Amino acid sequence: MIKAIGVDKDGTFLKSDHTYDKAYFDRLFKHIVQQNIKFIVASGNQYAQLRSFFPEKIDNITFVAENGAVTYQNDVLLAAHYFDQQLIFEVLETIHQTYHIRDVVLSGIHSAYVNDQSSDEFLSFIRNYYYDIEKVASFNEITNDHFVKIALRIKDKDLVKQVVNDIEQRYRGKIRAVTSGNDSVDLILPNVNKGVAIKALLNDWDIPQNELLAFGDANNDLEMLGLTKHSYAMEKCSAELAEIAKHRAPSNDDSGVLQVIERYLRQ
């Protein structure tokens, strides 16, 4: 029996155009609530952005945002894990000086921050993933927030590999670098991820891990799918996730997550 469902958002629950079949989901969600199944949206995205997709369902969804760094339920912050501020500024300087990467988002608990020189094209891109965005002349001027993630957009696949490997080596034990799809690399705390956050929720709810149904498409979903035998990698997914997942789901553009959930609800 499934008692909890955990879904990644982009590339998994959402279609490629950042929408989902609301009528289909509404029909299934009524049964999810009636059967007292916990529904978790787990994403690398900002909490404010995640909740904006489900305005009428906030009371019945738990949000694991920023790759597990923050967890919200009933609009209340349940858990938060954040970086040492000095380390963050050091890493940002490395990214700027060594790799000359300009497309950077610094995620805080209260807002997401971008440089005020960011291009309009980049701002348009990140609005698919962040709802509250502030422009700053320098990240160092932010003093009233705690930082939970650095997100980088890198269009060069070879540079993605280089940055991930270099950051992992240079800041071993302090920072973990993971790909999250759409030319994105997320720099997160090494012991913080979707799997850790969801495991804590399952423990609080007294739900065994193998009563979790989980869906994902990228490497930031590895730990979440590793929790349960009811794990589904999307039709288009990373090679690493395909190895971890016990099952494959149809394409996100065909509402693959909803198709699988419907099958489980009928059991």
Side-chain angles (χ1 to χ4, degrees):
M1 179 181 288
I2 295 301
K3 293 186 179 178
I5 300 172
V7 299
D8 170 54
K9 186 174 75 70
D10 298 293
T12 301
F13 187 80
L14 295 190
K15 299 180 181 181
S16 298
D17 62 0
H18 302 286
T19 67
Y20 64 94
D21 189 332
K22 292 187 177 181
Y24 191 2
F25 182 54
D26 285 349
R27 178 163 56 83
L28 296 181
F29 199 72
K30 289 179 182 178
H31 295 284
I32 289 170
V33 173
Q34 288 172 357
Q35 295 181 33
N36 197 31
I37 297 172
K38 305 291 187 181
F39 194 84
I40 308 161
V41 176
S43 171
N45 296 356
Q46 181 187 55
Y47 167 63
Q49 194 264 3
L50 296 180
R51 75 188 301 281
S52 72
F53 279 84
F54 309 95
E56 299 173 355
K57 299 178 175 65
I58 302 301
D59 293 343
N60 292 301
I61 295 179
T62 302
F63 295 92
V64 172
E66 308 287 8
N67 283 324
V70 293
T71 300
Y72 281 86
Q73 192 171 40
N74 296 324
D75 224 14
V76 175
L77 180 64
L78 296 184
H81 308 273
Y82 39 83
F83 285 98
D84 173 78
Q85 194 172 77
Q86 183 176 352
L87 174 63
I88 281 290
F89 292 147
E90 178 187 333
V91 173
L92 288 168
E93 184 68 15
T94 298
I95 291 165
H96 178 73
Q97 296 294 336
T98 305
Y99 309 109
H100 311 292
I101 296 169
R102 299 291 185 267
D103 293 347
V104 178
V105 182
L106 178 58
S107 294
I109 290 177
H110 302 304
S111 184
Y113 305 91
V114 297
N115 188 276
D116 60 9
Q117 300 300 309
S118 296
S119 68
D120 290 339
E121 183 273 332
F122 180 59
L123 291 172
S124 177
F125 170 77
I126 66 171
R127 286 193 180 101
N128 291 313
Y129 313 103
Y130 300 89
Y131 190 87
D132 292 331
I133 303 171
E134 291 186 29
K135 296 180 182 180
V136 294
S138 171
F139 291 125
N140 298 60
E141 72 182 31
I142 307 165
T143 59
N144 60 345
D145 207 345
H146 295 292
F147 306 127
V148 297
K149 186 187 72 179
I150 299 173
L152 313 174
R153 185 179 67 162
I154 309 172
K155 295 183 179 181
D156 183 334
K157 290 188 179 356
D158 290 332
L159 184 57
V160 166
K161 293 179 181 178
Q162 181 185 346
V163 169
V164 168
N165 291 334
D166 289 355
I167 293 292
E168 289 267 320
Q169 291 181 14
R170 184 178 299 198
Y171 298 101
R172 187 176 302 277
K174 295 181 179 179
I175 290 179
R176 184 173 171 225
V178 296
T179 56
S180 56
N182 297 315
D183 304 320
S184 297
V185 173
D186 289 342
L187 307 183
I188 60 178
L189 286 161
N191 296 316
V192 174
N193 55 64
K194 297 179 187 181
V196 169
I198 290 177
K199 185 176 180 180
L201 288 170
L202 296 177
N203 288 340
D204 288 344
W205 295 331
D206 197 24
I207 295 175
Q209 288 179 204
N210 273 328
E211 293 182 355
L212 168 72
L213 174 61
F215 301 87
D217 74 306
N219 284 11
N220 62 342
D221 299 313
L222 287 169
E223 292 85 1
M224 175 172 68
L225 267 62
L227 291 174
T228 176
K229 64 182 180 182
H230 303 290
S231 57
Y232 285 78
M234 305 308 294
E235 181 179 273
K236 293 182 180 179
C237 69
S238 71
E240 294 85 356
L241 195 74
E243 291 183 3
I244 289 291
K246 302 299 184 185
H247 311 278
R248 295 298 288 270
S251 170
N252 59 311
D253 287 319
D254 295 326
S255 300
V257 167
L258 301 184
Q259 290 186 49
V260 174
I261 290 175
E262 185 171 30
R263 290 205 306 266
Y264 274 85
L265 291 176
R266 286 175 174 174
Q267 293 178 1

